[in-house]
Amino acid sequence: MSQISKKLGQNIKHIRLNRKMSQGDICRAIDMDRSYMSAIESGKKNVTIAVLEKLASTLDVSVSELLK
Protein backbone atom coordinates (compact mmCIF):
# COMPACT_ATOMS: atom_id res chain seq x y z
CA MET A 1 0.00 0.00 0.00
CA SER A 2 1.44 3.32 -1.01
CA GLN A 3 2.05 6.17 1.37
CA ILE A 4 -0.04 8.45 -0.84
CA SER A 5 -3.06 6.12 -0.66
CA LYS A 6 -2.65 5.82 3.09
CA LYS A 7 -2.39 9.59 3.58
CA LEU A 8 -5.32 10.24 1.25
CA GLY A 9 -7.45 7.78 3.22
CA GLN A 10 -6.51 9.42 6.52
CA ASN A 11 -7.34 12.87 5.14
CA ILE A 12 -10.72 11.74 3.81
CA LYS A 13 -11.62 10.11 7.12
CA HIS A 14 -10.48 13.13 9.15
CA ILE A 15 -12.48 15.59 7.03
CA ARG A 16 -15.51 13.27 6.97
CA LEU A 17 -15.52 12.97 10.77
CA ASN A 18 -15.09 16.74 11.18
CA ARG A 19 -18.19 17.16 9.01
CA LYS A 20 -20.00 14.61 11.21
CA MET A 21 -20.67 12.38 8.21
CA SER A 22 -20.68 8.59 8.15
CA GLN A 23 -19.19 6.48 5.38
CA GLY A 24 -22.79 5.67 4.50
CA ASP A 25 -23.60 9.37 4.05
CA ILE A 26 -20.78 9.75 1.56
CA CYS A 27 -21.62 6.53 -0.26
CA ARG A 28 -25.27 7.50 -0.67
CA ALA A 29 -24.26 10.94 -1.98
CA ILE A 30 -21.99 9.57 -4.70
CA ASP A 31 -23.48 6.08 -5.20
CA MET A 32 -20.45 4.16 -3.96
CA ASP A 33 -20.26 0.82 -2.21
CA ARG A 34 -19.45 1.23 1.49
CA SER A 35 -16.81 -1.51 1.45
CA TYR A 36 -15.02 0.42 -1.31
CA MET A 37 -15.19 3.61 0.79
CA SER A 38 -13.77 1.71 3.74
CA ALA A 39 -10.90 0.38 1.59
CA ILE A 40 -10.13 3.92 0.37
CA GLU A 41 -10.01 5.27 3.94
CA SER A 42 -7.72 2.45 5.05
CA GLY A 43 -5.40 3.10 2.09
CA LYS A 44 -6.05 -0.27 0.47
CA LYS A 45 -7.59 1.05 -2.75
CA ASN A 46 -6.37 3.58 -5.25
CA VAL A 47 -8.98 6.03 -6.47
CA THR A 48 -9.53 7.52 -9.89
CA ILE A 49 -9.45 11.27 -10.39
CA ALA A 50 -13.21 11.15 -11.03
CA VAL A 51 -13.84 9.50 -7.64
CA LEU A 52 -11.45 11.92 -5.98
CA GLU A 53 -13.40 14.85 -7.44
CA LYS A 54 -16.72 13.39 -6.25
CA LEU A 55 -15.33 12.84 -2.74
CA ALA A 56 -13.94 16.37 -2.60
CA SER A 57 -17.25 17.81 -3.78
CA THR A 58 -19.26 15.78 -1.25
CA LEU A 59 -16.91 16.80 1.56
CA ASP A 60 -16.94 20.42 0.31
CA VAL A 61 -13.15 20.65 -0.01
CA SER A 62 -10.72 20.90 -2.92
CA VAL A 63 -9.00 17.84 -4.34
CA SER A 64 -5.67 19.34 -3.22
CA GLU A 65 -7.03 19.47 0.35
CA LEU A 66 -7.61 15.69 0.22
CA LEU A 67 -4.08 15.12 -1.08
CA LYS A 68 -2.25 17.21 1.54
Side-chain angles (χ1 to χ4, degrees), residues 4-48:
I4 294 170
S5 294
K6 198 170 184 176
K7 185 68 177 152
L8 173 64
Q10 290 169 348
N11 288 345
I12 291 170
K13 185 174 185 176
H14 177 76
I15 294 165
R16 175 177 63 76
L17 293 175
N18 279 347
R19 302 245 185 306
K20 297 184 174 28
M21 296 174 83
S22 69
Q23 285 183 344
D25 293 333
I26 305 257
C27 294
R28 281 186 292 278
I30 61 174
D31 194 29
M32 177 190 287
D33 190 71
R34 208 186 68 70
S35 63
Y36 183 56
M37 183 68 203
S38 179
I40 292 170
E41 284 191 357
S42 60
K44 294 177 182 151
K45 287 275 184 202
N46 290 324
V47 296
T48 63

